[in-house]
Amino acid sequence: MTITTPASNVTGRTDRQANGTVDCCGAQIRAQCRHLATVVTIRGEIDVVNVDPVSEYIRRFILGHNPVVLDVSEVSYFAAAGISLLHTLDDDCRAVGVEWILVASPAVVELLGADEDQDDNGAMFPIARSVHEALRNLADAIVRRRQLVLPLVKKTA
């Protein structure tokens, strides 16, 4: 299921393409609600001009307890201002108790100073190499939580 909502760019104009992608000042954003998470995909460039509208737009997809996968693997340019977008998403998700995972392009990984081969223990944000890996990580986390709760349920039954 694709979620489409209009986005206003810097000029106040909404640019929605037929495939559910929204153009937000040079960044194309598409959100898909999947079983395990809402996957928000951004393509194009994230710079000082569009970082605030992009941030506002993706905040719409922090819904209930549904995890968010932010896929910026096809972002060709990621300005230092984009780090504020990631911090805002991280803060918003923490505030409502929603898990999120970043799927980063090489440009984003370089800017964050993260090593693509490292595990997420040393990363500033939870990072996966692909959307598939991010969804698998979320599924694994659900299984681990269930395994922790199951002995408690058996003891009370």
Side-chain angles (χ1 to χ4, degrees):
M1 172 180 164
T2 300
I3 302 169
T4 57
T5 58
S8 297
N9 61 21
V10 172
T11 63
R13 197 176 76 235
T14 300
D15 296 326
R16 185 185 307 165
Q17 299 172 357
N19 64 358
T21 302
V22 173
D23 187 273
C24 196
C25 310
Q28 294 77 44
I29 307 170
R30 183 170 191 213
Q32 294 180 306
C33 186
R34 298 200 182 173
H35 177 68
L36 292 170
T38 300
V39 179
V40 180
T41 304
I42 303 175
R43 292 182 173 89
E45 298 183 354
I46 296 177
D47 55 26
V48 72
V49 173
N50 68 4
V51 71
D52 289 334
V54 168
S55 183
E56 279 300 313
Y57 188 74
I58 65 174
R59 290 171 111 179
R60 299 173 186 205
F61 302 107
I62 302 172
L63 306 169
H65 296 289
N66 200 25
V68 175
V69 175
L70 181 62
D71 178 9
V72 293
S73 61
E74 294 186 38
V75 168
S76 56
Y77 177 75
F78 192 80
I83 293 177
S84 69
L85 177 147
L86 300 177
H87 279 291
T88 299
L89 178 62
D90 188 54
D91 292 344
D92 290 348
C93 286
R94 283 178 195 260
V96 295
V98 169
E99 290 181 77
W100 77 283
I101 298 178
L102 175 67
V103 179
S105 71
V108 175
V109 170
E110 182 180 331
L111 187 63
L112 292 174
D115 181 0
E116 279 185 285
D117 296 326
Q118 79 182 19
D119 61 5
D120 9 63
N121 295 333
M124 186 182 316
F125 305 109
I127 297 177
R129 291 180 185 89
S130 67
V131 171
H132 178 74
E133 180 182 304
L135 294 173
R136 187 178 65 236
N137 291 348
L138 290 168
D140 290 347
I142 291 169
V143 168
R144 284 191 301 275
R145 283 192 296 270
R146 286 182 182 160
Q147 289 172 342
L148 290 173
V149 172
L150 190 57
L152 298 173
V153 172
K154 287 182 180 179
K155 286 180 182 179
T156 61

